[in-house]
Amino acid sequence: MEFTAVLAGCGSMSKGWLTALAEHPLLKGRVSVVGLVDLDQATADARAAEFDLANAMTGTDLEAVLAATKPDLLFDVVVPSARAGVVASGLKHGCHVLSEKPMAASLEAGRAMVAAAAAAGRVHAVVQNRRFISGVRRIRRLIESGALGEITALHCDFFIGAHFGGFREEMDNVLLLDMAIHTLDAARFMAGVAPKAVYCLETNPRGSWYSQGAAANAIFEFEDGVVFNYRGSWCAEGANTSWESAWRIIGTKGTLIWDGGDSFDAKVAVDGTGLLRDAVAIEVPAPADIEQTHGHASVIAEFLDAIKSGRSPETAGNDNIKSLAMVFAAIESARTRQRVTIAV
Ligand SMILES: NC(=O)c1ccc[n+]([C@@H]2O[C@H](COP(=O)([O-])OP(=O)(O)OC[C@H]3O[C@@H](n4cnc5c(N)ncnc54)[C@H](O)[C@@H]3O)[C@@H](O)[C@H]2O)c1
């Protein structure tokens, strides 16, 4: 095994991590899980039994497990409100830390993590698995190729009636902080230009089963005059979009429509006259690297590979904080009903 790791937070998402580590070809045989921590001892024990980790230490006290096992890595899969303390503990014990999204429960906490990772000389990165999928990689390549011309706008619709129960239904700004972080990060990656400012209206629609912020409409201004228009709701019943959202991306030559699944429709206008120009279909290229399209497995592998080669991973905290800043600027805009500048 190349690395030892402790995983903190043995709830639903941890199952996906442990399955990827045990089975995915990108990860199998690379990480030995030497500790499992949860506030609830039985939850940690159940995960250890489920994944045949009889030799892993289990416990409720992260500091004690880190001190006893001295792992190379800390995998942070706790709820967002506990993240800052968990990341600080991992860095203090000399671990490289990979955290679930969202990176932090506030921008200040995110900044503190970036500073702490730099001071410790350790990698801290964030799981933005929804940029490590085929569709997003293909769109990035299409945009980079210039086939649509200069990109001028990205529009996306996220409408899913999701009944999770658990922490999300009690959480403030639930759509923006828990879900839109993925979509905003994907938009930033696909567009390839930096976000500058946002206007946002956040609501909790009548009939919502969340306590706050289940829907949002946000208009982002990016560099180079690019506009990103996000419309989302987590309590829209009857016609769910993909978890990746439904997209319309417009360039100076043409438009790409992506349903967030397997359907891509890219067309560019042909020379001509008249009110409406004809359009011809263009190819959406394959992903540059298929290994970057496996969600969690790809993010974890990118983290491991970056540590081995001494480079910064794609979703390092000092880059991912730019996506977090989009979320918190949108929240601030909704609160103040003003345009808010995005600053890291
Ligand atoms: N990337 C994705 O696609 C994706 C999908 C689902 C969830 N998530 C993220 O994963 C994280 C966990 O979500 P979940 O659905 O597993 O939640 P969950 O509530 O099912 O599990 C979280 C677990 O963390 C434990 N915990 C809380 N504080 C802790 C602490 N200080 N030390 C140790 N354990 C602690 C809880 O006891 C619980 O068992 C969240 O940040 C969530 O946003 C990401």
Side-chain angles (χ1 to χ4, degrees), residues 80-121:
S81 56
R83 179 139 300 122
V86 166
V87 171
S89 294
L91 293 171
K92 191 175 91 185
H93 285 265
C95 302
H96 301 288
V97 183
L98 182 60
S99 287
E100 260 301 343
K101 46 55 61 171
M103 176 180 173
S106 70
L107 198 55
E108 292 68 34
R111 288 188 190 113
M113 288 174 193
V114 171

Side-chain angles (χ1 to χ4, degrees), residues 7 11 16 32 39 55 59 61 82 91 103 148 177-179 188 214 216 236 244 265 269 280 313 320:
L7 183 145
S32 168
L39 295 180
N55 294 330
D61 181 346
L91 293 171
M103 176 180 173
L148 292 176
L177 190 52
D178 196 66
M179 185 63 218
R188 186 169 74 82
E244 314 311 333
D265 181 12
V280 292
N320 195 247

Side-chain angles (χ1 to χ4, degrees), residues 54 59 69 73 147 154-155 174 176 201 331:
T69 58
L73 315 174
L154 301 91
H155 301 274
V174 63
L176 287 169
L201 174 68
I331 290 170

Side-chain angles (χ1 to χ4, degrees), residues 41-90:
Q41 178 71 41
T43 302
D45 289 340
R47 279 284 181 257
E50 184 182 352
F51 286 90
D52 281 335
L53 297 169
N55 294 330
M57 180 177 180
T58 60
T60 57
D61 181 346
L62 177 61
E63 292 272 345
V65 174
L66 292 174
T69 58
K70 300 186 173 38
D72 305 315
L73 315 174
L74 173 61
F75 291 150
D76 157 21
V77 199
V78 300
V79 293
S81 56
R83 179 139 300 122
V86 166
V87 171
S89 294

